[in-house]
Amino acid sequence: MPDLGQYAVYVLASYAVSLGLLAVIILASIFQARRIRARLEEVESRKDRAA
Amino acid sequence: MIALLSRDLALAIRAGGGFGLSLAFFLIFTTMVPFGVGPETGVLAVIAPGILWLGALLACLLSLDRIFQLDWEDGTLDLIATSPVPLEGLAAIKALAHWITTGLPLVLAAPVLGVLLNLPASGHGWLMASLALGTPALSAIGTFGAALTVGIKRGGLLLSLLVLPLYMPTLIFAALCVTRGAAGQEALTPLLLVGGITLGCLAVLPFAAAAALRVNLR
Amino acid sequence: MTLRVVDLACARGPAQILAGVTFAVAPGQALILRGPNGAGKTTLLRTLAGLTPPLAGRIEADPDAIAYAAHADGLKAQLSVRENLVFWAGVFGTRDITAAVAAFHLGPLLDRRAGEMSAGQKRRLSLARLLVTGRPIWCLDEPTVSLDAENVARFASAVTAHLGRGGAAIIATHIDLGLPTAQTLDITPFVAKRIRADDPFAEAVA
Amino acid sequence: MASIWEYANPRKFMATSAFVLPWIAGLAGVCLVVGLVWGFFFTPDDFRQGSTVKIIYIHVPSAIMAVNAWLMMLVASLIWVIRRHHVSALAAKAAAPVGMVFTLIALATGAIWGQPMWGTWWEWDPRLTSFLILFLFYLGYMALWEAIENPDSAADLTSVLCLVGSVFAVISRYALLFWNQGLHQGATLSLDREQNISNVFWYPLVISLAGFGFLFLALVLYRTQTEIRARRLKALIAQERMG
């Protein structure tokens, strides 16, 4: 772990916030994708059953 | 087109409270500032230019969603869209009507409120000049925002979110102009820049507003 | 000056409502649009008026020939009858409103506010507005809603007079107006009820 | 290579993006890890700024990507308006949240970095403030998408907003320079100057910038797939409602 000196808290804080925000957008995209994909499959199967 | 303007002005006076509404807001906003900031005239004099401009800007913002909403609801917008009057003309006239009923009274009332906030005497001229040059841009941008959100129920809040970022350049230059004017420094450059932005808005935004109206009328 | 519509396809939002609509309306003729509610009468009229761009097909008519009137008749309650008519005359470029006022006996009502009038009187004012547009082809969407029998008869005679002067009318309505030269067009066979043809999301995207 | 006009067909876009996406995501991961780890562990401290210089590996790339995301949305909106290219409109909608997050990262790292250097958490510096304004533009753009029911009208209106917003964003940028001289450092990565910062910082910075770029591309492709499925879902439900 490099010696970050007196500014350690700032460097670590900015890395933590940034990686955190990236995680948020990535996870949000994944969950949204799963939700839409599930609803689409449900409606498509409903359509196939009806046809 | 003249018929449109005269009707809008007549309607504004007869029904919408027209000139008084935005003036009343501007007065109330300005009187509330010392309650929040404290009565020291020294402090007020420093922030007066910015506060006066913010008051004028918010007064314009408040009356934006009424620009198309009434005509949208009673079918007038559909009928005008099928008439020889181009939608670009309609947007320009609506912006002009909004400016006359809202922007112009603010320009005239500003010095009085400037006194309320202890604006230095040298600032009054610049205040009126910057308001006179800047408020038409606020009306043009506001008409564009109103055209974008006309089809949306309760689109008023969204309208503010869309329009306020577009107001920033005008606010920055105009407030700067009045601040420098009040401090006796050279304030012509920001004033010309405010005028430049306004001319740009008046030239382009009616077309953008008409495009948005056509989409909403589909 | 005949209005000819060839193989017209109309859409409302994401859905295509009508397809293959073909008809012609000669001067002096009226066309009554029949069909269940929501079948697409309003969409067809809005497409004819040029508000909604058609998906396909052609509308052949003289430019600026079609006047459109919907339920919402574009009248301002705070303005008087005269001011409303003068306004619409200004918008459509005709100067004189006396003909329209006389045609619908609005003389005594000229200075009354539109908000203070009965449904029948308001309908007469909106018809006068149509006359003020000076356009030969009227597209009317349910013009006789909220009208009693006596006003419906007066409306029918007004349309007949318009036809007499060489105008044409396309009216979406459920009631029988008793117009002499009226054809009827049932739009049910043209109903499409599918996603717009130009919408690429109509079929599976895997 | 197939021209982008073929990708107007969502099915073709889905097939190709499904194939390409894992590679781009992998590249993004590799570049990010290499760039950040190299920058964080193996570069010396700056004589003046000490270890805070390490924040550069996130602040500069995210700021650059925040602006590029808006430019991408502008181009996608133009393609939609001119060629009715449905997928590009959805790509613009998909890119907005990603661009917003990059703007947030740039703002957060800028503010945190500013604390030790300028002594305050938030400094009304022209460049930092223009990112705050960009953030508001993203909010407005996304809010307009959500507010409109009919997808095609939403695409048209948001495209007009994006065009007009871009002009005002540029004007605001220069208005801010006029308004407050600012403490921000000069351009770190300008191409015209021969030597921006010493090489030892430069390589990890470019790699992490590539990482951010690929990450943006991967996220946009992934989210566009979702938007296409959502549009397909809406079409199916509309069809069902029509009976």
Side-chain angles (χ1 to χ4, degrees):
Chain A
M1 194 49 193
D3 164 25
L4 296 173
Q6 51 171 333
Y7 299 128
V9 67
Y10 300 115
V11 176
L12 294 177
S14 52
Y15 271 74
V17 163
S18 311
L19 298 179
L21 283 172
L22 286 181
V24 163
I25 183 70
I26 292 170
L27 293 177
S29 306
I30 291 173
F31 287 136
Q32 189 199 10
R34 282 221 187 95
R35 193 165 43 83
I36 298 280
R37 192 194 289 254
R39 278 181 58 201
L40 182 60
E41 263 141 28
E42 180 220 334
V43 172
E44 293 240 348
S45 58
R46 201 162 59 200
K47 183 168 87 74
D48 299 343
R49 262 202 312 280
Chain B
M1 302 260 270
I2 308 301
L4 258 172
L5 182 63
S6 52
R7 183 203 67 155
D8 272 358
L9 294 181
L11 273 176
I13 295 164
R14 211 168 288 178
F19 303 88
L21 219 57
S22 53
L23 269 184
F25 172 83
F26 195 22
L27 177 64
I28 296 168
F29 180 84
T30 314
T31 40
M32 284 169 65
V33 165
F35 302 154
V37 174
E40 298 84 4
T41 50
V43 171
L44 287 178
V46 169
I47 61 169
I51 292 294
L52 287 167
W53 246 95
L54 275 172
L57 186 141
L58 292 176
C60 284
L61 188 69
L62 279 179
S63 51
L64 286 185
D65 57 4
R66 272 209 324 273
I67 289 181
F68 290 118
Q69 204 57 34
L70 300 173
D71 288 347
W72 167 269
E73 274 146 15
D74 68 20
T76 309
L77 222 49
D78 289 344
L79 302 180
I80 291 182
T82 58
S83 75
V85 171
L87 283 178
E88 288 77 5
L90 173 70
I93 291 290
K94 285 287 182 182
L96 180 59
H98 177 267
W99 184 68
I100 292 174
T101 53
T102 312
L104 204 51
L106 298 180
V107 175
L108 304 178
V112 171
L113 296 171
V115 167
L116 221 62
L117 289 182
N118 196 261
L119 181 73
S122 60
H124 284 288
W126 293 107
L127 177 67
M128 286 187 75
S130 63
L131 276 172
L133 270 180
T135 41
L138 303 185
S139 294
I141 299 168
T143 306
F144 167 65
L148 273 178
T149 57
V150 73
I152 300 163
K153 287 179 290 301
R154 286 181 313 285
L157 201 59
L158 176 65
L159 175 59
S160 320
L161 177 60
L162 298 183
V163 163
L164 282 177
L166 304 179
Y167 276 178
M168 287 182 189
T170 304
L171 174 64
I172 292 170
F173 283 126
L176 203 62
C177 163
V178 183
T179 312
R180 287 194 183 168
Q185 299 157 1
E186 185 272 337
L188 189 60
T189 321
L191 186 68
L192 296 178
L193 288 167
V194 167
I197 292 176
T198 301
L199 291 178
C201 291
L202 294 179
V204 173
L205 287 180
F207 295 92
L213 281 178
R214 258 180 219 101
V215 170
N216 279 320
L217 284 170
R218 262 207 308 253
Chain C
M1 223 259 299
T2 309
L3 167 71
R4 186 166 296 105
V5 169
V6 178
D7 196 15
L8 191 69
C10 314
R12 180 176 54 210
Q16 171 167 356
I17 302 292
L18 297 170
V21 182
T22 308
F23 63 84
V25 180
Q29 264 189 331
L31 183 70
I32 307 294
L33 296 181
R34 290 269 190 264
N37 270 345
K41 298 194 292 291
T42 303
T43 311
L44 176 58
L45 287 173
R46 284 179 71 89
T47 309
L48 289 177
L51 287 169
T52 321
L55 280 178
R58 292 193 314 279
I59 302 171
E60 291 159 9
D62 299 347
D64 286 346
I66 296 174
Y68 170 72
H71 310 316
D73 46 23
L75 301 174
K76 292 293 181 188
Q78 305 85 359
L79 294 180
S80 72
V81 170
R82 184 199 314 277
E83 284 161 339
N84 270 304
L85 284 178
V86 163
F87 165 68
W88 284 110
V91 167
F92 279 89
T94 58
R95 281 286 156 261
D96 148 49
I97 64 168
T98 47
V101 169
F104 294 101
H105 326 300
L106 292 171
L109 298 167
L110 268 183
D111 292 319
R112 182 172 321 171
R113 294 257 171 113
E116 297 148 6
M117 297 208 306
S118 72
Q121 290 165 330
K122 259 196 206 137
R123 189 54 60 192
R124 276 167 39 207
L125 178 54
S126 84
L127 278 170
R129 185 199 69 78
L130 263 175
L131 212 58
V132 157
T133 62
R135 293 191 166 182
I137 302 171
W138 288 359
C139 290
L140 309 177
D141 194 354
E142 306 282 354
T144 54
V145 72
S146 77
L147 283 187
D148 56 25
E150 188 235 343
N151 275 315
V152 167
R154 190 174 289 170
F155 164 76
S157 59
V159 174
T160 315
H162 172 67
L163 300 180
R165 289 189 296 274
I170 303 165
I171 304 170
T173 181
H174 290 292
I175 62 161
D176 174 20
L177 290 171
L179 292 173
T181 61
Q183 298 166 326
T184 306
L185 174 70
D186 185 350
I187 63 167
T188 346
F190 304 114
V191 169
K193 282 262 191 276
R194 58 174 179 273
I195 300 295
R196 293 166 64 124
D198 62 353
D199 184 341
F201 303 98
E203 82 284 347
V205 292
Chain D
M1 217 275 280
S3 78
I4 63 170
W5 307 127
E6 286 177 48
Y7 288 117
N9 175 332
R11 183 200 306 272
K12 183 147 185 16
F13 173 84
M14 295 294 269
T16 318
S17 62
F19 170 75
V20 166
L21 191 53
W23 292 98
I24 294 186
L27 259 175
V30 165
C31 289
L32 273 178
V33 167
V34 167
L36 292 182
V37 164
W38 180 345
F40 192 82
F41 292 97
F42 303 108
T43 54
D45 287 356
D46 182 73
F47 61 92
R48 232 180 340 92
Q49 300 192 12
S51 61
T52 59
V53 75
K54 292 186 191 304
I55 301 176
I56 199 173
Y57 301 112
I58 287 189
H59 180 65
V60 169
S62 60
I64 291 175
M65 282 319 296
V67 174
N68 286 349
W70 184 271
L71 289 180
M72 171 262 174
M73 285 156 55
L74 179 62
V75 170
S77 299
L78 281 172
I79 295 176
W80 158 255
V81 167
I82 297 164
R83 292 290 294 261
R84 305 309 275 182
H85 188 312
H86 283 84
V87 171
S88 89
L90 293 178
K93 175 179 182 187
V98 185
M100 186 190 75
V101 165
F102 281 146
T103 317
L104 269 180
I105 293 175
L107 279 172
T109 50
I112 297 174
W113 197 352
Q115 215 293 328
M117 292 305 122
W118 303 332
T120 63
W121 279 107
W122 176 256
E123 170 57 42
W124 285 98
D125 153 79
R127 285 176 61 152
L128 218 50
T129 315
S130 51
F131 277 94
L132 188 57
I133 294 181
L134 184 61
F135 176 69
L136 296 177
F137 276 108
Y138 276 117
L139 280 190
Y141 180 83
M142 285 156 54
L144 189 58
W145 261 107
E146 296 312 319
I148 296 167
E149 185 45 41
N150 173 7
D152 279 356
S153 304
D156 286 328
L157 293 175
T158 47
S159 304
V160 174
L161 177 68
C162 191
L163 296 177
V164 171
S166 305
V167 173
F168 277 90
V170 171
I171 298 178
S172 306
R173 171 106 180 66
Y174 291 104
L176 286 170
L177 288 180
F178 199 91
W179 164 71
N180 173 359
Q181 79 302 343
L183 301 165
H184 200 283
Q185 200 175 335
T188 310
L189 266 180
S190 62
L191 301 175
D192 47 14
R193 292 229 307 271
E194 71 303 332
Q195 204 266 337
N196 315 43
I197 55 174
S198 54
N199 286 352
V200 73
F201 296 111
W202 200 70
Y203 290 116
L205 183 58
V206 168
I207 293 175
S208 59
L209 175 58
F212 270 79
F214 284 124
L215 176 66
F216 171 72
L217 200 56
L219 276 173
V220 168
L221 285 179
Y222 186 67
R223 291 181 63 85
T224 306
Q225 286 177 347
T226 309
E227 292 297 337
I228 289 176
R229 288 201 183 91
R231 259 305 289 281
R232 166 73 181 145
L233 186 61
K234 211 181 254 243
L236 275 176
I237 291 170
Q239 228 156 15
E240 265 178 6
R241 242 204 329 268
M242 278 189 266

